[in-house]
Amino acid sequence: LHRKKFHLSDDIVNDVISSLEEQGEFVKPDKTDIAFSDPKDAVFYEVVMEKRKNTDNAYLVTGNIKHFPKQIYVVTPRELIDLMEQM
């Protein structure tokens, strides 16, 4: 969140982190056997897959959609907004 490309102030970053801590849920996902071009991406996919074991209402939202397997639950921010508007 502190990356220059996001242009977020420290206050906004702190608010986002606080919100995640208050509203987030701890998940201990199973490892995937999918090979990612960047191994650091695997954890995000693993968390979504863990949540999707119990609900189909879990999405991986990313600006780098090409880094993940093509799945209906791997979406861009715009696609998530469109999905939310349909609900």
Side-chain angles (χ1 to χ4, degrees):
L1 294 177
H2 279 112
R3 292 180 185 171
K4 286 184 180 184
K5 69 179 182 178
F6 295 135
H7 307 285
L8 300 174
S9 69
D10 287 341
D11 287 340
I12 291 174
V13 170
N14 290 334
D15 287 346
V16 169
I17 298 298
S18 293
S19 180
L20 288 172
E21 290 173 342
E22 291 170 12
Q23 299 176 36
E25 180 181 333
F26 180 79
V27 176
K28 188 171 181 179
D30 293 330
K31 295 287 183 189
T32 185
D33 58 358
I34 296 172
F36 289 88
S37 57
D38 182 350
K40 293 178 186 175
D41 287 338
V43 67
F44 301 105
Y45 189 77
E46 292 165 352
V47 166
V48 169
M49 295 310 297
E50 188 67 30
K51 291 303 295 178
R52 290 189 68 84
K53 288 178 182 177
N54 299 315
T55 180
D56 62 352
N57 198 19
Y59 294 88
L60 191 159
V61 183
T62 177
N64 294 316
I65 203 160
K66 64 184 178 196
H67 291 183
F68 296 94
K70 187 172 177 73
Q71 298 290 341
I72 194 166
Y73 48 83
V74 178
V75 296
T76 65
R78 176 77 254 169
E79 290 170 330
L80 182 64
I81 290 170
D82 292 344
L83 286 167
M84 292 171 69
E85 289 175 345
Q86 294 172 15
M87 294 180 170

